[in-house]
Amino acid sequence: MKRLILICALYSALIMDLSGCGTVSPAQSAARATVASARAAYNAGDYERTLSILGHSHDIDSATTDTQIEAHKLTAFSYCVTNRVSLCRIEFAKILDLDPHFELSTAEKGHPIWGPAFEAARRKRLAPS
């Protein structure tokens, strides 16, 4: 099963690279492959593996903002569904540091765990220091 997840993740990363305009750096390709692998683990319900994949990656920090946001979002969701809400809020704060105007989708906002966790991170960011 893990081999299938990895194959799907690498295929997804390849498709993303081929569909983009211009060339993609090796570091960005590696970051995209890491996020694709983490997404596959998340979609399979393997939240600990998702956290492990993203937590051990050194490629994400040098990736594009969109890739970093996707990685932090997968990490936040994984923390939330494993009842580590304070860590979930920290990941949402990292997203807001990257993009202060970031919004969850309507469906995501309505989630009973990460909707409130995201709003708490947003309120904390907006609170006067």
Side-chain angles (χ1 to χ4, degrees):
M1 180 67 173
K2 288 183 182 179
R3 182 181 168 120
L4 179 61
I5 291 171
L6 180 59
I7 290 169
C8 290
L10 292 174
Y11 179 74
S12 295
L14 176 64
I15 295 300
M16 286 190 296
D17 283 349
L18 294 176
S19 65
C21 296
T23 60
V24 176
S25 73
Q28 179 61 25
S29 292
R32 286 182 179 176
T34 298
V35 170
S37 181
R39 186 182 325 103
Y42 181 88
N43 289 339
D46 194 346
Y47 309 117
E48 292 303 325
R49 179 147 172 73
T50 303
L51 293 168
S52 178
I53 290 167
L54 294 171
H56 291 98
S57 174
H58 301 289
D59 303 316
I60 302 299
D61 292 338
S62 61
T64 64
T65 301
D66 288 344
T67 300
Q68 289 181 54
I69 287 173
E70 186 174 359
H72 287 298
K73 189 173 166 182
L74 283 169
T75 302
F77 287 178
S78 295
Y79 279 137
C80 276
V81 298
T82 57
N83 296 314
R84 293 178 269 186
V85 180
S86 62
L87 294 172
C88 176
R89 283 192 299 265
I90 289 169
E91 290 300 315
F92 282 136
K94 290 176 184 178
I95 291 171
L96 292 167
D97 286 344
L98 290 166
D99 178 1
H101 303 291
F102 177 82
E103 292 286 341
L104 293 174
S105 72
T106 302
E108 292 165 346
K109 284 180 186 178
H111 189 276
I113 300 172
W114 60 65
F118 178 76
E119 287 307 316
R122 180 188 303 284
R123 281 191 307 275
K124 185 175 181 180
R125 181 171 178 38
L126 296 174
S129 303

